[in-house]
Amino acid sequence: RARTRGGAVRARDAARGEHLRDGLPEAAIADDDDLALLGSLGPFAAFDHRRADEAARDHHRRLLIKLQELSDPGRRMNVEVHTADDGFAFRYVVPLQQSLQQITLQDELTKLTFAGDPQARILPLNAYTTSYEKYYLKQHVSEITPQELVGLPMLLQLSTAKGGSVWGALTEANLRDYAGMYVAGVEGKPGMLATKLSPLPHRNDGAKVIVEKTLTTPWRTLLLADDPGRLIESNLIFNLNEPCKIADPSWIKPGRTT
């Protein structure tokens, strides 16, 4: 389950009925005095079905938060929150509106806070264009510096209010027409992570994403499980991604690579 408070999403581990320690992790989704909430947040809408192309169960709840800029031109943005028994996710949606014909995104200001300074397995990278062939490091979230560039997924051992722990995997889902997400520390705020978007190649204007009229970000996702091995059994990423566009994917076979 998740609930909003002070422009943040707070997660509850519904599968085990345990609160993550101090009600966190927390994701800042609306840290702007020029944004107004449109209407009521309302209750979560519940869904329980099976994907038509697979037997995977998709049991989740969704919440739509509508925001609007107070000053002119009054641009609108929605935040969608998706909660399931094995994790939660959120994404931003800029709907069709007259004041926006082209959207150029120079950054995404999402910040993630994890209480209790959990231990993480991180993949430090030298740049956005690398082969991802680095050793994973084991260190606390508070030790991740603003100068570091950390690739996803990131494995986390999170504390619960009952003194136990659950494992989490920070990643993204349904990445389409958008920049890939990395994370780094935040200056003066140890334990907080900020999103870093890969820049568009061959540009020097800082643009990360350029789209026409509407924008939908990937899902910013945290998987939850009793132990790390159970994370790969989760269907959350599968359910958040769009259905396969290939009519007959039977020719695709699993294999090995270096």
Side-chain angles (χ1 to χ4, degrees):
R1 300 176 184 177
R3 58 192 175 89
T4 59
R5 190 177 82 182
V9 176
R10 291 176 177 262
R12 181 177 185 269
D13 184 3
R16 283 155 291 278
E18 289 188 291
H19 286 278
L20 299 178
R21 195 163 99 184
D22 298 332
L24 297 174
E26 178 175 286
I29 59 176
D31 187 17
D32 193 332
D33 293 336
D34 198 31
L35 284 176
L37 180 67
L38 296 181
S40 171
L41 293 179
F44 277 95
F47 303 86
D48 190 356
H49 63 276
R50 294 182 185 274
R51 289 276 290 265
D53 53 345
E54 288 290 341
R57 183 170 178 256
D58 184 9
H59 175 66
H60 68 269
R61 292 175 179 268
R62 285 234 180 140
L63 178 67
L64 177 65
I65 305 170
K66 295 183 177 181
L67 303 168
Q68 183 167 4
E69 191 177 26
L70 291 174
S71 57
D72 290 334
R75 294 165 294 186
R76 292 177 285 116
M77 182 184 75
N78 300 333
V79 180
E80 295 182 12
V81 182
H82 178 112
T83 67
D85 289 341
D86 53 351
F88 74 96
F90 64 92
R91 68 179 178 183
Y92 310 103
V93 178
V94 178
L96 184 67
Q97 48 201 296
Q98 188 62 37
S99 59
L100 289 176
Q101 296 303 309
Q102 186 183 75
I103 302 172
T104 300
L105 192 67
Q106 292 189 323
D107 216 341
E108 179 186 322
L109 304 181
T110 301
K111 292 182 173 61
L112 305 167
T113 303
F114 298 91
D117 194 18
Q119 194 172 77
R121 274 70 169 175
I122 72 166
L123 180 66
L125 300 173
N126 297 329
Y128 293 103
T129 53
T130 69
S131 60
Y132 266 64
E133 294 180 354
K134 299 270 288 189
Y135 287 105
Y136 276 82
L137 302 179
K138 184 163 69 173
Q139 63 185 61
H140 290 279
V141 171
S142 63
E143 297 175 305
I144 301 175
T145 68
Q147 292 73 37
E148 284 185 283
L149 186 67
V150 178
L152 300 180
M154 176 192 293
L155 184 65
L156 298 149
Q157 188 171 11
L158 304 164
S159 300
T160 68
K162 296 180 181 180
S165 65
V166 296
W167 291 86
L170 177 65
T171 185
E172 57 183 341
N174 202 33
L175 175 56
R176 292 176 56 86
D177 301 322
Y178 200 81
M181 184 178 81
Y182 303 75
V183 296
V186 178
E187 190 68 44
K189 296 183 178 180
M192 179 180 287
L193 300 177
T195 56
K196 299 290 184 181
L197 299 183
S198 57
L200 286 170
H202 313 301
R203 298 183 68 97
N204 56 11
D205 58 359
K208 307 292 179 65
V209 180
I210 300 177
V211 295
E212 300 294 327
K213 297 183 178 180
T214 65
L215 171 71
T216 300
T217 74
W219 290 99
R220 279 65 187 95
T221 307
L222 183 70
L223 305 177
L224 296 170
D226 291 320
D227 60 74
R230 298 297 298 273
L231 292 170
I232 62 173
E233 300 175 2
S234 171
N235 289 314
L236 182 57
I237 300 298
F238 173 80
N239 290 328
L240 289 172
N241 286 333
E242 295 179 5
C244 181
K245 295 293 193 297
I246 302 173
D248 180 15
S250 61
W251 56 272
I252 302 175
K253 304 296 182 183
R256 294 181 179 180
T257 185
T258 56

